[in-house]
Amino acid sequence: MVSQPGAQVLVASNRGPVSYALAEDGSLTASRGGGGLVSGLSAIGPDTDAVWVCAALGDGDREAVRRTGGMLDPAETGGQRVRMLGIDQEVYADAYNEIANSTLWFVHHLLYQTPLEPVFGAEFRARWASYEKYNAAFAEALAESAAEGAAVLVQDYHLALVPGLLRELRPDLRIGHFSHTPWAPVDYFRMLPDDIAAQLLRGILGADRAAFLTRRWADAFAACCTELLGADALASTELGVHGLGADADFLRERSHRPDVAERMAALREQIGAGRKTVVRVDRTELSKNIVRGLLAYRQLLRDRPEWREKVVHVAFAYPSRQDLAIYREYTAEVQRTADAVNSEFGTESWTPVILHVKDDFARSLAAYRLADVALVNPIRDGMNLVAKEVPVVSDEGCALVLSREAGAFEELGQDALVVNPYDVLATADALHAGLSMGADERAERTKRLSAAATALPPQQWFLDQLEAVRSRD
């Protein structure tokens, strides 16, 4: 690999800003992604030398690494310097699927069915060794790529060990870690083997600053550190809170493009004239609670027959992590539950649930604009940007039914209809309240929700963290 000058700012995340598809003829096609990190990194300006370190996720990415040595063509990455790591495929699969997504995600989202799981035996320990190797590969790449005293922003539960490993390699660096998920309460976190729980905490505590989406998650992390590592565990690590907001300018511009207008027309035809809409947009992630949302809508139609023929639940449930059996089963259960509601209540002229499973961002924005009620009822969520995006985009104002277990509750709870995500009856009542809400009240709530939702847009969210890490004594 050609030697590159050390970067002043580095971002590390599992997924980078670009991915590659490998065609049968051997050609590679690059696709750029979006999201808060992409927007944030663009905010630091062309005069700051920055590099993004990420992992090769698929065959196309791995081939791109083979051809380039890992330093990608800036013309394919939106002008950003990106170093992509070709980590051994089996090591990556164990670290990503078995540890990050099937263990750490489950712990932080409280998803285990504890009579049967988890089981931490020899197989788990072998997979944990892969997670250690995966994190070590990132730490080494960051150490090689960073200029003296550079700022490094490490992202999420995939890379929890990186700050500690990087601190050993490069004590001169300013290191931040940001958790995009909730943090588990102490009793749940302690399900992990004691040595691994401590290793995860010490990994993040290798950072100068550990940041979270809400104060609740920061406090949970602090409690785990104190309980497992002792009262002085946080002595050298500052905790921060940065509630990532919606990108209002982008959403408002994007939601008025012609492709969104086309999808709005198609949805209106499916919904039918004069009917109200309950909208949800989610991945079929176990924590999103889609099935209980459908059951609450069914309860609404059972308890409030006046809404039959007058409301449609527009549910977008985009398949997620289908390489894991439990996710495939959950996706199938979402489909079965939607079909059951339509079978019980549907008529020749009315389909109570319109379920779409193919990801389509323009159609999601169209649904946002049409929503009378937005249903966001996760079991547990680090933030949930859908809750913030709908009020920004809504044409006529939208009532937000929001789980108290979503991170967004901390900022939006005052103007939302707040529910216990496990309580189907109460959620049905909240749906009724949202559908019955007067236009003036709905408009006023939406205005306040939109203001709160956009208080910390992605670019400022990133810059605030960068400044906080750089200013650490």
Side-chain angles (χ1 to χ4, degrees), residues 76-98:
E76 297 175 341
T77 64
Q80 294 166 339
R81 282 177 59 199
V82 176
R83 180 172 177 181
M84 186 175 279
L85 307 180
I87 297 168
D88 177 84
Q89 196 168 347
E90 290 186 8
V91 169
Y92 178 82
D94 276 353
Y96 181 74
N97 286 327
E98 303 301 335

Side-chain angles (χ1 to χ4, degrees), residues 449-469:
L449 287 167
S450 180
T454 57
L456 192 62
Q459 292 191 353
Q460 193 60 49
W461 169 82
F462 181 89
L463 291 173
D464 284 358
Q465 291 176 69
L466 181 60
E467 176 58 29
V469 168

Side-chain angles (χ1 to χ4, degrees), residues 322-343:
Q322 295 299 291
D323 48 344
L324 299 176
I326 191 170
Y327 282 83
R328 294 194 298 273
E329 293 163 7
Y330 186 73
T331 301
E333 183 60 26
V334 169
Q335 183 69 63
R336 283 192 295 269
T337 307
D339 290 344
V341 175
N342 285 335
S343 177

Side-chain angles (χ1 to χ4, degrees), residues 13-30:
S13 63
N14 174 69
R15 183 181 298 275
V18 65
S19 60
Y20 291 86
L22 180 62
E24 290 185 5
D25 64 3
S27 62
L28 285 172
T29 303

